[in-house]
Amino acid sequence: MRKVGIGLVGVGAMGRVHAENVALKIPQAKLVAVADSFVEPARKVASNLDVGTVYSDFSGLIDDKNVEAIIMAVPPYLKKDMIVKAARAGKHVFVEKPMTLSSRDADEIIRETDQAGIKIQVGYQRRSDHSFRRAERAIREGKIGKILMMSSHTRDPPGLSPNYYLDFAKSGGIMADTCSHDFDVIRWLSGTEVSKVYADGEILVYHKELDPSGIPDHVVVTLSLKGGGMAHIDSCAYAVYGYDVQAEVIGMKGAAFVGIGERYATTILDESGHHGEYPMSYAERFAQAYHDEVEDFARCIIENKTPRVTARDGRAAIEIGFAADESMKRKAPVTISG
Ligand SMILES: NC(=O)c1ccc[n+]([C@@H]2O[C@H](COP(=O)([O-])OP(=O)(O)OC[C@H]3O[C@@H](n4cnc5c(N)ncnc54)[C@H](O)[C@@H]3O)[C@@H](O)[C@H]2O)c1
């Protein structure tokens, strides 16, 4: 079987998930090199996964003839330049969300990757999750009917985010980093674009002493859809019970609910009630999706197909996020032109 030679940049929390999947679980791909500006963790990952080549700089992957595609799991502010360099070197790109941090950069990414004719996929893994895909299928098969109301929710367990997150210019804050997943879900499941947002946010837990960034840790956004219907999303940074992602779609003929996703199918009931166990991390909740999205990316390269989540999707999700940030600032609804 043909194997796509993959180089990975960024061996942090997310990069390690992708590294393990590519090295051990995806037959269509081979992890040939890893790069990280902190070279020690990169060496450790490489040695654990039997990867021969380690670079302390991204450019090593660009010059490496064995690297056919690059997975990017670095802080968002670095991605645009890396994508452009990869495209110009003819290397395919799988980039973790958010793809970049401005519409202008997103346009440059689209232009450069189109021109180079490379594949680019953005890591909105909910589109590869079996539960979300089941909901999507029901919608496409007409079982839900015309969509009236939708929602998407992301609740993170307690714990501070990576250091770079606290710098808005590097992470894009809660709207680009976290809620862009929810914006992508709303676009994908509704099959339409978002025309207007109204957002509000508060710092309820991570006050100044814990997090000096001033980025809200709780937000609610209402969204108007071009194709009709209403939607809302929220994000909570302090869910003591676990990592909780849900979505709801209510239509004229039926409804689809994607629930929190219990760890086990078994339900335990006793005199004190029902006991469920929930995933405590995104890596656990979306293990299947993180695997499938990269396997799909490798297949797209081998079979010359268009990836499931394109650079245009990556742009649309962050554009909604920027409008939501603007709405929070202005305390007023913001219209999305694109
Ligand atoms: N899809 C998801 O569910 C999901 C979950 C978590 C994170 N992410 C995304 O993945 C990306 C990385 O997040 P993370 O949590 O893994 O962050 P992280 O801080 O744990 O890891 C980032 C890594 O990038 C490395 N790095 C920084 N600058 C570099 C440079 N110039 N060259 C090479 N390496 C460099 C760091 O040393 C670090 O190892 C972010 O965009 C984040 O939003 C996605």
Side-chain angles (χ1 to χ4, degrees):
M1 181 189 292
R2 159 147 148 65
K3 283 179 183 282
V4 177
I6 304 261
L8 174 114
V9 60
V11 297
M14 195 61 233
R16 287 197 297 274
V17 173
H18 290 312
E20 211 175 293
N21 279 331
V22 174
L24 307 176
K25 300 178 194 158
I26 297 178
Q28 299 88 345
K30 180 174 165 46
L31 189 60
V32 295
V34 293
D36 199 295
S37 45
F38 281 111
V39 75
E40 263 326 302
R43 281 205 188 104
K44 201 162 161 208
V45 167
S47 130
N48 289 344
L49 297 174
D50 211 10
V51 176
T53 310
V54 178
Y55 298 109
S56 60
D57 191 274
F58 170 69
S59 58
L61 297 179
I62 294 291
D63 298 333
D64 189 328
K65 299 257 175 316
N66 296 319
V67 172
E68 200 179 335
I70 301 177
I71 295 181
M72 298 177 183
V74 289
Y77 76 105
L78 296 169
K79 292 171 184 169
K80 192 267 287 178
D81 285 349
M82 288 186 179
I83 296 171
V84 169
K85 281 183 187 150
R88 290 185 181 172
K91 308 213 187 252
H92 306 287
V93 172
F94 178 98
V95 59
E96 260 310 329
K97 49 51 63 174
M99 179 174 80
T100 188
L101 293 177
S102 77
S103 303
R104 219 165 84 187
D105 283 357
D107 286 337
E108 192 180 337
I109 288 171
I110 292 170
R111 210 170 41 246
E112 289 276 351
T113 52
D114 278 356
Q115 211 168 313
I118 56 136
K119 311 283 179 205
I120 173 165
Q121 182 171 329
V122 185
Y124 287 116
Q125 83 284 353
R126 293 180 198 183
R127 294 196 190 207
S128 293
D129 175 72
H130 286 161
S131 308
F132 275 93
R133 289 185 72 73
R134 206 156 165 242
E136 193 249 0
R137 215 164 35 245
I139 295 165
R140 300 289 164 251
E141 286 169 357
K143 292 181 177 147
I144 310 300
K146 180 181 154 46
I147 293 175
L148 303 170
M149 181 85 107
M150 308 176 68
S151 65
S152 177
H153 315 274
T154 304
R155 289 86 186 244
D156 282 301
L160 287 169
S161 308
N163 274 346
Y164 72 81
Y165 177 80
L166 305 184
D167 183 344
F168 187 92
K170 292 183 172 175
S171 69
I174 192 166
M175 294 296 182
D177 186 84
T178 306
C179 303
S180 72
H181 277 295
D182 301 285
F183 300 140
D184 183 63
V185 161
I186 297 292
R187 291 185 61 246
W188 171 53
L189 293 183
S190 68
T192 187
E193 295 299 331
V194 173
S195 56
K196 193 170 69 180
V197 293
Y198 192 12
D200 205 354
E202 294 209 18
I203 301 175
L204 297 178
V205 182
Y206 295 116
H207 50 81
K208 265 207 188 86
E209 290 79 54
L210 290 170
D211 172 0
S213 67
I215 296 171
D217 52 20
H218 289 76
V219 291
V220 177
V221 187
T222 61
L223 307 105
S224 308
L225 305 178
K226 275 192 184 148
M230 302 186 72
H232 59 106
I233 70 110
D234 65 51
S235 178
C236 155
Y238 204 84
V240 289
Y241 54 92
Y243 179 72
D244 172 6
V245 163
Q246 302 183 40
E248 300 177 350
V249 184
I250 301 171
M252 295 281 280
K253 284 166 68 179
F257 298 106
V258 180
I260 171 168
E262 283 196 59
R263 211 178 253 165
Y264 305 108
T266 317
T267 302
I268 308 291
L269 298 162
D270 62 21
E271 69 274 9
S272 62
H274 163 269
H275 305 277
E277 269 191 54
Y278 299 97
M280 286 308 287
S281 71
Y282 56 81
E284 192 183 350
R285 166 64 182 85
F286 285 114
Q288 167 267 319
Y290 292 131
H291 170 278
D292 287 9
E293 66 175 351
V294 174
E295 185 179 67
D296 205 50
F297 172 63
R299 277 221 184 89
C300 286
I301 294 170
I302 294 168
E303 296 166 18
N304 193 20
K305 290 190 313 198
T306 304
R308 192 170 281 176
V309 196
T310 65
R312 284 166 178 81
D313 295 316
R315 183 193 194 283
I318 51 171
E319 209 186 3
I320 301 168
F322 304 143
D325 278 320
E326 187 61 29
S327 171
M328 270 199 298
K329 254 188 243 145
R330 283 206 245 147
K331 304 230 168 287
V334 169
T335 302
I336 298 171
S337 53

